Amino acid sequence: HYADWTEDEISEDTARIWADLAGRLLTLQGDFELEGHLAPLVLELEPEAKKEYIAFYNTVSKRMASQGISQDDENSFLSKMRGQAARLALVLAMVDRAEKNELGSRQPIPGLWMRAGVEIAWWFADQRRKMKAQFWATKTAKPSLKDRILGHIKEAGLAGLSKTDISKPIVTGK
């Protein structure tokens, strides 16, 4: 669906609902004090969520192994993506709990939110791949200034000139 830019503002009801939801999320506290700081809230995964995450983790690991060392940049991204999927699942689960006024719940993260976190992580990976392909397509489409100059030199039959010869001004005619 295509939508043009608009200066329309969100409705007061929508703003109030989001403000209320954000306010509830900000009340979330850790489990206990640890050297003067709250410790993070630790939640387990439901068996279905754990199964989803393990399948995702193993798929990413196999992709990394198949690419080898020549794809270190991609492998670095994929390695980070494994953790992002779990974090996204946690955020989605906490937003759901905040909406239901169940932030105090210590129930495990459901498979629904892990699937959503994994799907979002794959979406980001796909967007990254598309952006990289687009970047390299535009980068290679236009030769660099150096390549254009060297091309002109070769076309003029001056390919055997030395760096010293090229640096001297060329005077033609009178």
Side-chain angles (χ1 to χ4, degrees):
H1 173 69
Y2 175 77
D4 288 324
W5 175 260
T6 178
E7 292 292 329
D8 293 344
E9 295 184 16
I10 61 171
S11 71
E12 288 183 25
D13 284 343
T14 301
R16 181 184 45 74
I17 290 167
W18 275 103
D20 184 50
L21 182 63
R24 280 185 258 157
L25 285 170
L26 291 172
T27 66
L28 187 61
Q29 296 291 314
D31 278 334
F32 53 86
E33 293 273 334
L34 182 66
E35 297 180 17
H37 301 287
L38 287 173
L41 180 64
V42 177
L43 297 175
E44 299 293 325
L45 300 175
E46 284 184 356
E48 181 188 348
K50 187 173 181 178
K51 182 179 173 184
E52 291 279 343
Y53 184 71
I54 290 170
F56 168 73
Y57 188 98
N58 290 341
T59 299
V60 172
S61 294
K62 287 175 187 167
R63 182 182 288 190
M64 290 169 60
S66 71
Q67 293 180 149
I69 202 159
S70 64
Q71 295 291 323
D72 276 348
D73 177 52
E74 178 72 8
N75 284 347
S76 176
F77 171 79
L78 291 171
S79 177
K80 291 173 181 73
M81 187 178 85
R82 290 186 300 203
Q84 293 301 337
R87 287 182 199 81
L88 287 164
L90 176 62
V91 168
L92 293 168
M94 298 317 294
V95 167
D96 182 57
R97 289 177 187 182
E99 184 178 24
K100 296 174 181 174
N101 286 318
E102 297 174 355
L103 272 178
S105 171
R106 304 292 184 185
Q107 293 298 312
I109 303 296
L112 165 73
W113 298 125
M114 183 56 71
R115 277 191 304 283
V118 165
E119 189 172 326
I120 294 168
W122 281 124
W123 180 86
F124 276 110
D126 188 51
Q127 294 305 305
R128 180 180 185 273
R129 183 191 52 75
K130 288 176 184 176
M131 288 175 59
K132 281 185 75 171
Q134 193 173 32
F135 171 77
W136 286 110
T138 57
K139 187 173 177 103
T140 57
K142 182 179 177 185
S144 68
L145 176 60
K146 174 185 162 190
D147 290 338
R148 290 194 314 260
I149 291 171
L150 289 173
H152 289 304
I153 290 171
K154 288 178 183 175
E155 285 176 20
L158 304 173
L161 292 176
S162 69
K163 290 181 184 179
T164 307
D165 294 332
I166 293 172
S167 65
K168 293 179 187 174
I170 299 174
V171 179
T172 60
K174 294 185 180 182

